[in-house]
Amino acid sequence: MKSNNRDDGWLTGRLYFNREDKRVIVKRPRSGFGYTINFGSKRTWVFQIVFVIIMVILVNVL
């Protein structure tokens, strides 16, 4: 069941986890500024893994 409530998926007001929401980058609703990522999206996890691999390579090379 899909909900129209934009607060669905917010954990402690800072982390966003909603598998039904296809957005990767989500604006924080209450703070008025700032963005976070949707931890329920598979694309987010792929991005995080690639980012960590790149950081590990850079640390080892430098």
Side-chain angles (χ1 to χ4, degrees):
M1 181 167 89
K2 199 164 195 167
S3 172
N4 289 333
N5 186 357
R6 293 187 63 87
D7 287 338
D8 288 348
W10 285 99
L11 307 170
T12 68
R14 298 201 174 263
L15 297 175
Y16 186 70
F17 186 93
N18 188 344
R19 290 188 176 147
E20 293 179 3
D21 191 349
K22 300 300 180 194
R23 297 178 295 172
V24 174
I25 299 174
V26 182
K27 185 172 174 130
R28 291 186 180 158
R30 290 188 180 90
S31 66
F33 63 93
Y35 292 85
T36 188
I37 55 177
N38 180 4
F39 287 97
S41 171
K42 291 179 184 178
R43 291 183 289 172
T44 299
W45 288 103
V46 170
F47 172 75
Q48 289 180 5
I49 291 169
V50 170
F51 181 77
V52 168
I53 291 171
I54 290 171
M55 289 298 115
V56 168
I57 291 171
L58 287 176
V59 167
N60 286 327
V61 169
L62 301 175

